[in-house]
């Protein structure tokens, strides 16, 4: 598989799950904290939250792009919303793994048409492509 990047993002972390995160070229500094459910104090953001936000935003972009490439797909309404729930836990094979549940809200779009659009988006979205075969991703319409 070959990818020719159009853009490359840069960020860094210090201190691991209980440290700081920065985005190169911006003023964003994130206080990172292990979730309470994993033994931390939860007083900050964690990688799973950041992944959830990134996947949600990118998936909306993939739906929008899909609609421009296939005129039979419905247009994405301006008030579209994608909520991502990213779970982390031990894997049977050892180590840790992720689960993802996407809940897509497409006001005014017929359910069957929304299903076609979300399926097309999964073929385009780089997050969907990156995790395919490695992460259980469920998609639901609300």
């Amino acid at each position: 598989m070959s990818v020719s990047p159009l853009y490359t993002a840069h960020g860094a972390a210090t201190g691991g799950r209980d440290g700081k995160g920065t985005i190169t070229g911006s003023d964003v500094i994130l206080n990172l904290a292990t979730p309470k459910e994993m033994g931390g104090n939860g007083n900050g953001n964690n990688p799973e939250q950041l992944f959830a936000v990134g996947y949600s935003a990118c998936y909306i972009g993939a739906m929008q792009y899909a609609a421009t490439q296939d005129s039979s797909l419905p247009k994405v309404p301006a008030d579209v919303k994608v909520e991502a729930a990213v779970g982390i836990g031990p894997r049977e094979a050892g180590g840790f793994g992720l689960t993802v549940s996407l809940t897509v809200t497409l006001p005014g779009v017929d359910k069957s048409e929304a299903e076609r659009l979300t399926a097309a988006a999964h073929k385009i979205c780089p997050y969907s492509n990156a995790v395919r075969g490695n992460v259980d991703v469920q998609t639901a319409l609300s």
Side-chain angles (χ1 to χ4, degrees):
M1 173 186 69
S2 178
V3 175
S4 299
L6 299 173
Y7 167 77
T8 301
H10 296 270
T14 57
R17 285 186 166 271
D18 293 304
K20 299 272 185 208
T22 59
I23 299 172
T24 304
S26 81
D27 295 333
V28 174
I29 299 174
L30 298 164
N31 291 316
L32 303 175
T34 301
K36 290 180 182 179
E37 297 85 351
M38 294 176 64
N41 66 22
N43 292 330
N45 296 107
N46 61 66
E48 293 71 38
Q49 291 171 322
L50 302 175
F51 187 78
V53 170
Y55 202 156
S56 296
C58 192
Y59 193 75
I60 290 171
M63 287 189 293
Q64 292 167 331
Y65 183 78
T68 68
Q69 301 304 298
D70 181 348
S71 61
S72 75
L73 292 172
K75 297 294 181 208
V76 177
D79 53 350
V80 61
K81 181 178 181 181
V82 173
E83 297 177 72
V86 176
I88 181 172
R91 296 175 348 130
E92 288 180 13
F96 289 84
L98 300 174
T99 62
V100 175
S101 176
L102 301 176
T103 302
V104 181
T105 305
L106 292 160
V109 178
D110 174 77
K111 183 179 179 187
S112 64
E113 291 300 298
E115 288 170 347
R116 289 181 56 239
L117 181 60
T118 59
H122 275 301
K123 294 176 185 173
I124 294 168
C125 180
Y127 282 70
S128 294
N129 288 329
V131 303
R132 187 172 292 114
N134 296 308
V135 175
D136 180 26
V137 178
Q138 301 294 318
T139 306
L141 297 169
S142 71

